[in-house]
Amino acid sequence: MKIGFDEIRLINALDSIARVSAKDCFVEENTIVYLVPNEGMRKAIGKNGSTIEKVKKQLGKNIELYEYSSKPEEFFSKAFHKASVDGVEIKKMKQRNIAIVKTDNANKRVILQNLGRLNKVKELAKRNYDIEEVRIR
């Protein structure tokens, strides 16, 4: 994964306010998406969301935090926290890594209703776990 000057500047901004060093970040429209180590998530949010509000105010964009895990299966389970994920399987198909997120129909609907979140999760998976495709089943 390569990050550019703008991403480094945004990671440093989070670090200077929250004292948490993000593993990755990117900007999508009016939102900055951060991938934060699990031990720094509470610190990044702050009491009653105060820290994340400071970051939002300073950078002038919405902020979304996703929790990093060394295992991609855990990352997907945490990223889709509003849905109950039954399991995640990582397969290699035609030289590509594919994540298959298993869930029931009701939870599948919850995941697919928020396509913006799904696209951000896909981007983080591609950048940090070398997963090129995410399928919800």
Side-chain angles (χ1 to χ4, degrees), residues 34-126:
Y34 286 103
L35 185 64
V36 178
N38 57 353
E39 63 273 4
M41 188 61 102
R42 291 178 85 167
K43 203 174 183 183
I45 295 169
K47 190 173 186 175
N48 296 322
S50 61
T51 306
I52 206 67
E53 281 301 316
K54 286 180 192 173
V55 176
K56 181 179 178 179
K57 194 176 281 186
Q58 181 176 336
L59 298 176
K61 293 190 182 287
N62 293 322
I63 307 294
E64 286 188 25
L65 301 176
Y66 292 85
E67 192 170 328
Y68 174 79
S69 176
S70 59
K71 297 177 183 175
E73 297 86 355
E74 288 179 21
F75 166 73
F76 285 109
S77 292
K78 291 175 182 177
F80 298 128
H81 65 278
K82 290 185 179 181
S84 176
V85 174
D86 296 332
V88 179
E89 188 178 345
I90 309 297
K91 287 186 173 185
K92 192 167 194 91
M93 299 172 83
K94 297 180 184 174
Q95 307 300 323
R96 297 173 56 206
N97 290 326
I98 297 173
I100 299 169
V101 179
K102 298 175 184 174
T103 188
D104 61 29
N105 284 335
N107 286 297
K108 183 177 181 179
R109 212 172 1 261
V110 170
I111 292 170
L112 295 177
Q113 281 177 344
N114 192 342
L115 288 178
R117 182 177 190 83
L118 178 59
N119 288 334
K120 291 168 190 157
V121 170
K122 285 180 178 182
E123 181 66 21
L124 287 170
K126 186 175 186 178

